[in-house]
């Protein structure tokens, strides 16, 4: 970093995610019966002080009176704050350490807890300017050093005058007292830091609104651990993605926008233009037309099992990695299948409706145990296989059919054709994927092969079953009942009406695509999918990608990582290595994997390299996308 640039950094809600005195209040008021009201009072006073609506000294006096804290509790506070350092400061710890001479902490907080925190990041004690507690002989905090200019209004500006810094001064902070430094003519720029809190009165005065430290380093062309600030990676999440997933992506530093419903193709074509990552569930279709408008898209997260709603081939051609959650909701779907099989075999649904109408229909007619019955599973993947195990434990005889050779679990029996399975079993449960060839897999002809009085459960995809044929089979009595969770056409959101020919049929369970909609499943998905996307963005790891060659990579140490995605053509790897040789770049590690469409090459190189080499790598014929990681 040039010696003429000095960074003045605030501590509370900037270097750390929180206001330290708020956390001290949690500690010192732990056993106080008025804890909640006092904590709220502290927070309100803090906010007023940060916005400039009360004088800082008044806010400090009021907060310390409420806190009633001691020196021993400062130790607990330090331990708590070490876990609350802002994520972008953690990411750029190396930058802070390397440039410690020119980094200053000027805070209205207190040295007692600030120095131990920032010291871990290489910041020198003599570069920390803050208030100081005054203790009595018993170690209780009774006051603060009232001679310290930082205990006064406009104290930060006065402190900078006293230490007489030379060169350009950049201020990073979240409060009005940070802006005052610029207003006093003592700083070149004021960056309103909004990673943890955004105060309108402060951001309105800023030279630049900075959602992270990455952003500040990037726009100043300073060395940073990351080749591109995460705050500039725009994430769009649709269809009520679980809040855990939203928070994980926000914590990573991304700019996250959440929309509760699905979007039409036209809407998405416009919305996706500046999006780097999109997260969807089952109702949003990522079509070729949408992808043609996705100028910055690098990854898609399907917060579900299926990916048939995504044009995977076009994603490959554009170098867009797709990740899903193949296992996260398996148990939820299986439990629902078991429940529906039992309900249909006992005709519970119709009997429940009659009871709500005041009608008592006590009868065993058409009611059967599942024990000893033959369950046929169509599709023996993750869900089908687990259903097989649970069903067998309940005494069912399990048969299955799959186009792929799969190992039978327990005593399950594989049958050689779909027709044989349908004609053999009393209960059929569908668990196939959404490929186009599975459209109307269970059509009128296949339904006619099913045993008279059998039941059908579809928790897979809406287009797998021919709905008019199913309706006819139920009304004719050929099938005793059905349960359907997925439909060829579904409402985009809860306000749209549901329309289906199956409405009102006897012994028919209809559910609104909720097979995986349990809190456990949604939380699992919300953790899994963002984790895979962040690994891909940060390291290039494609393990568990649906459409990319799967590479599980080691951590990147003391090197740059070059990610080259290209059409799977002969000689590309040789051309990559020839470029590196021409520019005398040493390779410290290289990983290659291909599928039928694309090649994925990861090359770790020494840190020294020419920008011309990067241009040459991007120019290799067949290149789809190129990224550099630090």
């Amino acid at each position: 970093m040039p010696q003429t640039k000095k960074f003045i950094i605030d501590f509370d809600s900037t270097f750390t995610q929180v206001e330290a005195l708020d956390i001290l209040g949690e500690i010192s008021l732990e056993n106080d019966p008025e804890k909640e009201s006092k904590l709220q009072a502290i927070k309100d006073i803090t906010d007023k002080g940060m916005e400039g609506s009360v004088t800082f000294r008044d806010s400090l006096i009021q907060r310390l009176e409420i806190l009633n804290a001691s020196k021993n509790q400062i130790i607990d506070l330090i331990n708590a704050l070490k876990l609350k350092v802002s994520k972008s400061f953690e990411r750029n710890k190396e930058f802070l350490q390397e440039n410690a001479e020119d980094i200053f902490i000027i805070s209205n907080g207190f040295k007692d807890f600030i120095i131990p925190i920032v010291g871990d990041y290489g910041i020198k004690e003599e570069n920390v300017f803050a208030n100081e507690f005054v203790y009595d002989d018993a170690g209780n905090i009774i006051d603060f050093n009232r001679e310290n200019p930082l205990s006064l209004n406009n104290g930060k500006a006065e402190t900078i005058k006293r230490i007489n810094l030379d060169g350009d001064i950049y201020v990073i902070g979240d409060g009005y007292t940070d802006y005052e430094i610029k207003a006093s003519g003592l700083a070149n720029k004021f960056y309103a830091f909004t990673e943890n809190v955004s105060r309108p009165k402060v951001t309105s005065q800023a030279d630049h609104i900075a959602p992270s430290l990455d952003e500040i380093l990037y726009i100043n062309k300073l060395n940073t651990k990351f080749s591109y600030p995460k705050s500039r990676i725009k994430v769009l999440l649709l269809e009520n993605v679980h809040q855990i997933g939203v928070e994980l992506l926000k914590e990573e530093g991304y700019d996250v926008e959440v929309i509760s419903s699905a979007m039409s193709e036209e809407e998405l074509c416009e919305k996706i233009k500046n999006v780097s990552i999109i997260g969807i569930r089952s109702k949003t279709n990522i079509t070729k037309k949408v992808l043609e408008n996705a100028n910055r898209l690098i990854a898609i997260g399907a917060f579900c099992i299926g990916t048939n709603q995504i044009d995977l081939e076009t994603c490959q051609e554009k170098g867009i990695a797709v990740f899903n959650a193949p296992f996260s909701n398996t148990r939820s779907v299986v439990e629902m299948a078991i429940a529906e099989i039992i309900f249909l075999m006992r005709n519970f649904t119709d009997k429940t409706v009659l009871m709500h109408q005041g009608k008592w229909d006590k009868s065993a007619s058409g009611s059967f145990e599942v024990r000893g019955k033959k369950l046929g599973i169509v599709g023996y993947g993750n869900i089908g296989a687990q259903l097989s195990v649970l069903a067998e434990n309940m005494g069912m005889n399990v048969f299955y059919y799959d186009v792929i050779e799969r190992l039978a679990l327990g005593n399950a029996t594989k049958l050689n054709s779909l027709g044989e399975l349908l004609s053999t079993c009393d209960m059929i449960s569908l668990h196939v994927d959404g490929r186009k060839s599975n459209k109307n897999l269970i059509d009128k002809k296949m339904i006619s092969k099913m045993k008279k009085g059998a039941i059908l459960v579809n928790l897979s995809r809406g287009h797998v079953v021919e709905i008019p044929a199913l309706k006819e089979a139920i009304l004719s009595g050929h099938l005793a009942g059905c349960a359907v969770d997925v439909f060829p056409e579904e409402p985009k959101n809860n306000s749209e009406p549901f329309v289906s020919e199956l409405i009102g049929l006897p012994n028919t369970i209809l559910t609104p695509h909720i097979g995986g909609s349990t809190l456990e499943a949604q939380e699992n998905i919300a953790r899994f999918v963002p984790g895979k996307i962040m690994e891909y963005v940060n390291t290039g790891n494609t393990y568990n990608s649906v459409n990319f060659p799967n590479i599980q990579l080691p951590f990147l140490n003391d090197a740059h990582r070059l990610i080259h995605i290209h059409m799977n053509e002969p000689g590309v790897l040789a051309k990559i290595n020839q470029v590196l040789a021409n520019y005398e770049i040493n390779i410290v590690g290289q990983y290659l994997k291909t599928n039928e469409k694309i090649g994925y090459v990861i090359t770790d190189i020494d840190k020294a390299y020419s920008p011309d080499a990067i241009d040459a790598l991007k120019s290799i014929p067949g290149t789809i996308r190129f990224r550099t990681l630090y």
Side-chain angles (χ1 to χ4, degrees), residues 121-242:
Y121 290 75
I123 296 172
K124 298 182 175 184
E125 183 173 342
E126 59 266 30
N127 283 8
V128 176
F129 297 86
N131 280 300
E132 300 141 308
F133 287 126
V134 174
Y135 303 92
D136 64 15
D137 292 340
N140 298 308
I141 298 172
I142 56 172
D143 203 353
F144 53 89
N145 179 2
R146 301 201 176 209
E147 299 301 315
N148 190 322
L150 286 163
S151 70
L152 298 166
N153 297 332
N154 210 28
K156 291 188 176 182
E158 182 60 32
T159 298
I160 290 178
K161 287 179 184 176
R162 291 188 183 187
I163 59 179
N164 192 27
L165 294 176
D166 59 351
D168 293 339
I169 297 176
Y170 296 164
V171 177
I172 303 171
D174 66 283
Y176 196 82
T177 57
D178 304 302
Y179 164 68
E180 286 179 333
I181 300 172
K182 171 71 185 298
S184 300
L186 296 170
N188 299 77
K189 284 187 178 180
F190 167 56
Y191 295 98
F193 189 80
T194 61
E195 182 173 327
N196 305 308
V197 62
S198 180
R199 309 182 198 276
K201 288 185 178 180
V202 177
T203 56
S204 65
Q205 304 292 337
D207 295 300
H208 188 91
I209 298 174
S212 68
L213 181 60
D214 310 306
E215 171 84 3
I216 296 167
L217 299 181
Y218 179 76
I219 64 176
N220 283 287
K221 296 182 173 59
L222 297 170
N223 292 328
T224 176
K225 185 179 178 182
F226 301 97
S227 54
Y228 194 74
K230 295 191 176 186
S231 57
R232 295 198 173 193
I233 295 179
K234 183 170 178 56
V235 179
L236 177 63
L237 299 178
L238 305 179
E239 302 184 67
N240 280 324
V241 166
H242 193 283

Side-chain angles (χ1 to χ4, degrees), residues 294-350:
N295 303 318
R296 294 178 58 185
L297 196 65
I298 59 174
I300 298 173
F303 285 72
C304 52
I305 295 177
T307 55
N308 60 295
Q309 72 276 39
I310 302 169
D311 186 336
L312 297 177
E313 186 173 344
T314 301
C315 285
Q316 280 189 333
E317 292 170 358
K318 292 179 69 66
I320 300 166
V322 178
F323 298 89
N324 69 339
F327 316 110
S328 299
N329 66 2
T330 298
R331 179 70 184 202
S332 297
V333 177
V334 169
E335 287 186 3
M336 184 165 170
I338 291 284
E340 290 188 330
I341 288 167
I342 294 172
F343 264 57
L344 292 172
M345 293 295 284
R346 298 289 297 274
N347 204 1
F348 281 161
T349 304
D350 288 356

Side-chain angles (χ1 to χ4, degrees), residues 235-520:
V235 179
L236 177 63
L237 299 178
L238 305 179
E239 302 184 67
N240 280 324
V241 166
H242 193 283
Q243 189 62 27
I244 287 176
V246 177
E247 293 304 320
L248 285 173
L249 292 163
K250 283 184 176 179
E251 286 176 9
E252 188 68 9
Y254 301 148
D255 177 11
V256 181
E257 181 179 2
V258 179
I259 296 176
S260 60
S261 64
M263 300 183 79
S264 68
E265 185 179 59
E266 290 72 22
E267 291 172 323
L268 202 50
C269 282
E270 183 61 32
K271 193 72 176 175
I272 206 168
K273 287 180 179 177
N274 294 313
V275 170
S276 303
I277 298 164
I278 186 168
I280 63 169
R281 293 174 72 184
S282 56
K283 291 185 176 66
T284 300
N285 291 308
I286 308 291
T287 63
K288 185 179 183 70
K289 183 178 178 182
V290 169
L291 292 168
E292 286 170 351
N293 287 273
N295 303 318
R296 294 178 58 185
L297 196 65
I298 59 174
I300 298 173
F303 285 72
C304 52
I305 295 177
T307 55
N308 60 295
Q309 72 276 39
I310 302 169
D311 186 336
L312 297 177
E313 186 173 344
T314 301
C315 285
Q316 280 189 333
E317 292 170 358
K318 292 179 69 66
I320 300 166
V322 178
F323 298 89
N324 69 339
F327 316 110
S328 299
N329 66 2
T330 298
R331 179 70 184 202
S332 297
V333 177
V334 169
E335 287 186 3
M336 184 165 170
I338 291 284
E340 290 188 330
I341 288 167
I342 294 172
F343 264 57
L344 292 172
M345 293 295 284
R346 298 289 297 274
N347 204 1
F348 281 161
T349 304
D350 288 356
K351 291 185 184 297
T352 298
V353 170
L354 289 173
M355 291 289 285
H356 280 286
Q357 295 172 353
K359 298 175 183 178
W360 184 269
D361 181 23
K362 179 176 170 62
S363 170
S365 178
S367 185
F368 304 94
E369 291 184 354
V370 297
R371 181 175 55 175
K373 302 300 184 296
K374 295 176 181 177
L375 170 63
I377 300 173
V378 183
Y380 204 66
N382 299 321
I383 293 174
Q386 188 167 148
L387 174 60
S388 170
V389 173
L390 294 188
E392 186 177 319
N393 285 337
M394 295 184 69
M396 299 181 222
N397 298 314
V398 178
F399 300 82
Y400 71 94
Y401 170 73
D402 200 306
V403 293
I404 299 173
E405 189 65 37
R406 297 186 187 274
L407 176 67
L409 300 181
N411 295 314
T413 301
K414 180 183 178 182
L415 298 183
N416 296 320
S417 71
L418 178 58
E420 183 183 4
L421 185 83
L422 297 176
S423 63
T424 299
C425 297
D426 307 298
M427 306 165 291
I428 301 295
S429 192
L430 306 177
H431 301 285
V432 297
D433 61 31
R435 68 187 69 180
K436 292 179 181 179
S437 60
N438 282 334
K439 182 175 182 180
N440 290 337
L441 179 69
I442 306 299
D443 57 9
K444 185 173 183 178
K445 180 180 178 181
M446 285 298 172
I447 289 175
S448 69
K449 293 178 183 290
M450 293 177 66
K451 294 172 66 174
K452 182 174 174 57
I455 63 168
L456 177 68
V457 174
N458 184 18
L459 296 173
S460 59
R461 300 290 184 273
H463 66 261
V464 170
V465 177
E466 186 182 349
I467 297 298
L470 176 59
K471 176 182 178 181
E472 181 183 330
I474 295 291
L475 290 176
S476 69
H478 178 66
L479 294 185
C482 66
V484 181
D485 185 52
V486 287
F487 303 87
E489 294 182 6
E490 298 179 357
K492 287 185 172 63
N493 53 54
N494 290 345
S495 63
E496 289 190 6
F498 167 66
V499 178
S500 174
E501 296 179 59
L502 302 177
I503 292 175
L505 296 185
N507 203 25
T508 296
I509 302 172
L510 304 180
T511 49
H513 204 146
I514 56 171
S517 296
T518 61
L519 290 178
E520 293 90 345

Side-chain angles (χ1 to χ4, degrees), residues 517-536:
S517 296
T518 61
L519 290 178
E520 293 90 345
Q522 294 307 305
E523 287 182 11
N524 290 339
I525 292 169
R527 295 184 191 280
F528 185 85
V529 176
K532 292 302 172 185
I533 289 173
M534 290 185 291
E535 276 186 37
Y536 174 65

